[in-house]
């Protein structure tokens, strides 16, 4: 093997391959990725798992993939507490502190924060994504630098409604959602689409994002007597309570949820009452051992001395974003376009990449990835099992 090819396979940059000292590339300015996550507050469980996914993803990019064309990928982490004001302040600190030619991507938390920041992000031409799958953000005409790394909440609801139609055509549906942007985002779509499909929305229940007693919620559901109950706007902060109360009150409805309910902790916290809970989910699970990324990250974490036991879905989603953003950065760098505009351009061209199986693909349609699967909770198996193949929603 020629020396240049040998060094390339080791991840050593072109300067070293040409015989120039490697310390020259080590002195290059870093490429920075900032993440604003709820490390405290009602969704801290999800935020801290997401942070771990970004840490592993960035470490993997630097230590295994050679960084971004010889430049180190640097991770910046800020806590938002799932509070729009606190998140906005964190965003402003990062923007004021970092150089535009180094800070090439920001990942935010929540639908509320993302909608608040969206106009400024568009003005700055800053590549951005978030924990949010809000439909409004998947609009490249209005927000040309914002990407949704999955289906929108409207897409997820469409997948659930299709499943309902298969199980019972003229079904009665109840909607339970939090009084947050996250919770409210897909509700108008669900109501309109359900009506078009001949279904009836018989009840809406709006709650705080976290509470301690689900009895009043379930009593209202019993009076409405729905066939299906869709939960939206929680990240395990309410679902187990609602499922246990429903069992206690004898409610027989089929419960469903979207991406942020598709986590094994739901089964662990709800116990037998989680049986049959149907969710939308678009990443790999940590137990999907046939997915190359899962096995690769197990080995990587083992080498790093990190826990290799089950990693939550919020970890998997963050890892999928980190690897995809880094891939777009590498391709932009290879074309001499490692700028904010270049990262946007190469994210839009990332359709032949799937993050070692973490996503179906990164073929964006209107800056979203409109693919998901449906899974059903099995208490006996202690996991969510797929009940569909990939559903294309665009």
């Amino acid at each position: 093997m020629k020396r240049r090819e040998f060094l390339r396979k080791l991840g050593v940059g072109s300067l070293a391959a040409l015989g120039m000292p490697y310390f020259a590339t080590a002195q290059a300015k870093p490429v920075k990725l900032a993440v604003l996550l709820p490390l405290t507050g009602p969704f801290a469980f999800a935020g801290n798992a997401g942070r771990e996914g970004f840490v592993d993803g960035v470490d993997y990019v630097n230590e295994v993939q050679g960084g971004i064309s010889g430049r180190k990928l640097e991770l910046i982490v800020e806590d938002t507490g799932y509070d729009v004001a606190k998140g906005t302040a964190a965003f402003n600190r990062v923007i004021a502190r970092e150089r535009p030619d180094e800070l090439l991507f920001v990942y935010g938390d929540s639908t509320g924060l993302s909608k608040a920041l969206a106009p400024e992000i568009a003005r700055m031409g800053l590549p951005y994504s978030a924990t949010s799958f809000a439909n409004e953000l998947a609009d490249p005409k209005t927000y040309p630098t914002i990407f949704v790394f999955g289906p929108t909440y409207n897409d997820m609801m469409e997948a659930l409604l299709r499943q309902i139609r298969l199980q019972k055509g003229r079904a009665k549906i109840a909607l339970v959602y939090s009084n947050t942007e996250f919770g409210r985002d897909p509700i108008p779509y669900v109501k309109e689409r359900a009506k078009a499909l001949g279904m009836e929305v018989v009840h809406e229940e709006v709650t705080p994002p976290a509470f301690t007693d689900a009895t009043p919620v379930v009593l209202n559901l019993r009076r409405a007597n729905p066939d299906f109950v869709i939960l939206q706007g929680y990240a395990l902060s309410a679902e187990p309570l609602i499922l246990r109360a429903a069992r206690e009150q004898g409610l027989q409805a089929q419960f469903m949820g979207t991406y942020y309910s598709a986590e094994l902790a739901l089964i662990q916290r709800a116990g037998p009452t989680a049986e049959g809970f149907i969710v939308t989910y678009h990443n790999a699970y940590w137990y999907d051992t046939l997915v190359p990324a899962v096995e690769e990250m197990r080995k990587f974490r083992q080498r790093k001395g990190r826990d290799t036991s089950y990693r939550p879905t919020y970890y998997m989603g963050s890892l999928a974003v980190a690897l995809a953003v880094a891939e777009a950065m590498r391709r932009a760098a290879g074309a001499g376009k490692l700028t904010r505009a270049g990262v946007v351009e190469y994210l839009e061209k990332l359709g032949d990449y799937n993050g070692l199986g973490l996503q179906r693909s990164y073929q964006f349609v209107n800056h979203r990835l409109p693919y998901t699967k449906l899974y059903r909770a099995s208490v006996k198996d202690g996991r969510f099992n797929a009940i569909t193949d990939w559903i294309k929603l665009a």
Side-chain angles (χ1 to χ4, degrees):
M1 183 184 298
K2 294 183 180 179
R3 181 170 180 268
R4 183 190 299 269
E5 179 66 13
F6 175 72
L7 291 172
R8 188 188 68 78
K9 288 184 177 293
L10 289 178
V12 178
S14 59
L15 291 176
L18 292 170
M20 298 178 69
Y22 184 65
F23 71 81
T25 60
Q27 301 301 315
K29 295 176 182 177
V31 180
K32 298 183 180 182
L33 163 63
V35 297
L36 318 173
L37 294 172
L39 306 180
T40 57
F43 299 141
F45 170 74
N48 281 283
R51 176 188 177 278
E52 186 181 20
F54 276 109
V55 168
D56 275 3
V58 169
D59 285 351
Y60 183 83
V61 167
N62 287 325
E63 298 173 25
V64 178
Q65 298 180 330
I68 309 299
S69 294
R71 293 172 63 178
K72 180 182 177 181
L73 181 59
E74 182 178 317
L75 181 66
I76 300 166
V77 181
E78 294 273 354
D79 179 25
T80 67
Y82 200 74
D83 179 86
V84 172
K86 188 175 179 181
T88 300
F91 175 81
N92 289 334
R93 281 197 304 274
V94 171
I95 294 301
R97 186 176 66 230
E98 304 299 337
R99 293 167 53 104
D101 60 335
E102 295 180 4
L103 180 64
L104 299 187
F105 200 92
V106 172
Y107 186 86
D109 91 314
S110 84
T111 299
L113 177 63
S114 298
K115 288 184 177 181
L117 296 179
E120 180 65 6
I121 288 166
R123 185 192 68 78
M124 296 171 62
L126 176 65
Y128 179 90
S129 189
T131 59
S132 173
F133 300 102
N135 190 66
E136 180 182 319
L137 300 178
D139 180 5
K141 292 182 180 178
T142 306
Y143 305 125
T145 66
I146 294 180
F147 292 81
V148 175
F149 280 82
T152 64
Y153 294 128
N154 284 6
D155 291 329
M156 297 179 199
M157 290 295 181
E158 174 67 25
L160 292 178
L161 291 175
R162 291 182 189 180
Q163 181 66 24
I164 290 172
R165 194 178 189 187
L166 286 175
Q167 294 184 215
K168 185 172 183 177
R170 294 190 173 276
K172 295 183 295 182
I173 301 171
L175 305 173
V176 180
Y177 54 96
S178 66
N179 58 357
T180 63
E181 292 277 5
F182 171 23
R184 291 186 295 268
D185 186 79
I187 300 306
Y189 177 84
V190 177
K191 292 161 71 173
E192 180 181 347
R193 184 67 175 139
K195 183 178 180 180
L197 292 172
M199 304 170 188
E200 182 183 3
V201 175
V202 294
H203 183 66
E204 291 182 58
E205 187 81 18
V206 186
T207 77
F211 48 87
T212 58
D213 183 9
T215 302
V217 173
V218 173
L219 288 175
N220 289 336
L221 289 173
R222 278 192 64 189
R223 282 191 284 269
N225 192 31
D227 301 306
F228 297 85
V229 179
I230 300 177
L231 308 181
Q232 168 67 18
Y234 311 101
L236 306 186
S237 59
E239 299 97 314
L241 287 173
I242 293 172
L243 292 175
R244 288 199 299 268
R247 174 65 65 88
E248 291 168 1
Q249 296 294 326
L251 183 62
Q252 298 300 311
Q254 166 74 64
F255 280 83
M256 296 176 147
T258 53
Y259 181 85
Y260 285 104
S261 297
E263 169 50 43
L264 292 198
L266 181 139
I267 299 174
Q268 295 159 0
R269 296 176 187 180
T273 64
E275 184 66 36
F277 190 89
I278 293 175
V279 294
T280 65
Y281 184 63
H282 55 265
N283 296 127
Y285 277 100
W286 187 252
Y287 50 74
D288 289 336
T289 54
L290 296 180
V291 174
V294 173
E295 186 63 23
E296 184 72 7
M297 294 313 297
R298 283 182 193 274
K299 293 177 181 176
F300 181 71
R301 286 181 65 85
Q302 187 173 39
R303 292 197 300 271
K304 299 284 289 183
R306 297 173 183 171
D307 184 5
T308 59
S309 64
Y310 175 79
R311 300 293 97 191
T313 52
Y314 317 121
Y315 168 96
M316 302 301 290
S318 295
L319 177 65
V321 173
L323 294 182
V325 169
E327 180 68 18
M329 288 175 172
R330 272 195 299 275
R331 295 184 184 193
K337 296 181 178 181
L338 189 54
T339 62
R340 291 176 175 179
V343 172
V344 171
E345 178 183 345
Y346 281 89
L347 279 170
E348 291 175 337
K349 297 177 179 178
L350 209 57
D352 61 337
Y353 180 70
N354 73 351
L356 299 174
L358 288 172
Q359 298 261 176
R360 178 185 181 274
S361 81
Y362 287 94
Q363 181 64 59
F364 287 96
V365 178
N366 291 330
H367 281 201
R368 79 197 200 280
L369 301 173
Y371 319 102
T372 195
K373 290 183 180 182
L374 296 184
Y375 290 78
R376 180 181 286 118
S378 169
V379 175
K380 178 183 176 182
D381 296 339
R383 63 200 294 175
F384 284 92
N385 295 318
I387 60 172
T388 70
D389 201 342
W390 286 106
I391 302 169
K392 187 174 182 180
L393 299 156

